[in-house]
């Protein structure tokens, strides 16, 4: 099988090449290659009347819908990590003991929580704490993260080990155009990849949002949104997020070769997709379209592969370049290159604050407002 085949690959093999920007770690927790999400703690009540059992099942479904599958995978992985550590130390997990949690996060920071002696980053430890709080709460035993045994140790970990966020390189318009030229327009895979890159860039979409799209509304159970194409104006992407639904407007480009709408229409027409997942696996040497939705890791691999092939950041070594690009490079590229009022970029990316959007702007004019001169110096 060639390197460009859409074969499922484990996240263990990909390492940290596609870790999201720290500013989005809450939005895209976990790895989509760990299999199905584990079951949530059961809603058990021996005294519950038999006629309410069906309602209890429905309540369970709503509990699962309260968080994404990726988030639940991350919560389960962190819970397993903590339970394994407790087992090795001969410590009881219940009831949650702040002092035990303080020792656990100290072990994570020092690299003694597992046998590989690899310290966790501050952001990973904070995520583990959030996961454990959620898991304990689901079992009716809340954890007090403000307890001094946890809060003070965590503050010390931040002061000692915190480092500036590692952000992926932004894919700028000239980079994207060069990347598109590396794709084979004569194959379905090339047409699909072209549509994914253009749609992801123009929409400022996360990798999970790109692959989570359906052709239309309410077509699949695992879909995270759908698209509507308007003949003259462009297309409307409707997305389901943690805080509800949002709409992303993607206008037509100045020319067909770089127009996300034209690219999407071409892919849908030639792939003969009229229902279900928008972006799917392509097999048979690029000639057969499957029914399965792409994994979000494929977006990261596509961005990395195309950026390297196009020679983006050719001033760096190949090893350094390989670490620079991932799914977030598309979002950062839009935020860095769209010369419009900042609030429009903020809306497109779905950020709650302008400050969050500014963290994506890799080449904005940081010294446009000179307070030194404004103060009279």
């Amino acid at each position: 099988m060639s390197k460009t085949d859409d074969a499922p690959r484990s996240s263990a093999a990909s390492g940290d090449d596609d870790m999201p920007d720290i500013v989005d770690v809450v939005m895209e927790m976990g790895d989509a290659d760990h299999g199905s999400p584990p079951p949530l703690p059961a809603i058990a009540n021996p005294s519950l009347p038999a006629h309410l059992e069906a309602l209890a099942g429905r309540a369970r479904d709503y509990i699962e819908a309260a968080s994404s599958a990726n988030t639940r995978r991350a919560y389960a992985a962190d819970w397993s990590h903590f339970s394994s550590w407790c087992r090795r130390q001969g410590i009881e997990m219940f009831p949650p003991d702040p002092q035990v949690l303080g020792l656990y996060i100290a072990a994570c920071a020092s690299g003694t929580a597992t046998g590989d002696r690899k310290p966790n980053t501050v952001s990973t430890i904070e995520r583990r704490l959030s996961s454990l709080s959620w898991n304990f709460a689901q079992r009716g035993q809340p954890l007090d993260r403000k307890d001094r045994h946890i809060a003070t140790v965590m503050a010390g970990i931040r002061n000692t080990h915190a480092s500036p966020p590692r952000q992926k390189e932004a894919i700028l318009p000239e980079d994207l155009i060069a990347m598109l030229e590396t794709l084979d327009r004569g194959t379905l895979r090339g047409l699909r990849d072209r549509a994914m890159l253009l749609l992801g860039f123009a929409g400022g979409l996360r990798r999970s949002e790109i692959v989570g799209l359906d052709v239309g509304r309410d077509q699949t159970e695992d879909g995270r949104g759908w698209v509507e194409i308007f003949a003259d104006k462009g297309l409307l992407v409707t997305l389901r997020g943690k805080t509800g639904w949002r709409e992303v407007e993607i206008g037509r480009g100045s020319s067909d070769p770089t127009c996300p709408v034209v690219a999407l229409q071409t892919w849908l027409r030639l792939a003969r997709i009229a229902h279900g997942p928008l972006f799917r696996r392509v097999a048979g040497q690029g000639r057969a379209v499957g029914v399965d939705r792409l994994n979000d890791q494929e977006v990261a691999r596509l961005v990395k592969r195309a950026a390297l092939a196009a020679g983006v950041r050719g001033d760096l070594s190949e090893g350094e370049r390989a670490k620079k690009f991932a799914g977030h490079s598309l979002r950062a590229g839009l935020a860095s290159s769209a010369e419009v009022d900042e609030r429009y970029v903020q809306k497109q990316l779905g950020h709650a604050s302008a400050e969050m959007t500014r963290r994506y702007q890799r080449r904005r004019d940081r010294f446009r407002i000179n307070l030194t001169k404004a103060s009279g110096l």
Side-chain angles (χ1 to χ4, degrees), residues 308 311-325:
L308 292 177
V312 181
R313 287 304 307 268
D315 56 308
L316 301 176
S317 69
E318 185 169 348
E320 290 174 317
R321 291 168 61 212
K323 297 178 181 178
K324 286 285 185 180
F325 302 101

Side-chain angles (χ1 to χ4, degrees), residues 98-99 102 105 144-155:
Q99 189 169 4
I105 61 176
D144 182 11
R145 289 180 59 182
K146 294 182 180 180
D147 184 281
R148 63 185 179 87
H149 292 99
I150 298 176
T152 306
V153 174
M154 193 66 234

Side-chain angles (χ1 to χ4, degrees), residues 8-57:
R9 284 173 257 183
S10 70
S11 60
S14 62
D16 294 331
D17 287 348
D18 191 44
M19 286 298 290
D21 281 1
I22 189 64
V23 297
D24 251 10
V25 73
V26 176
M27 297 300 296
E28 295 194 51
M29 291 178 65
D31 189 320
D33 287 331
H34 281 149
S36 301
L40 294 169
I43 302 176
N45 187 343
S47 61
L48 194 67
H51 69 280
L52 292 179
E53 288 182 1
L55 192 58

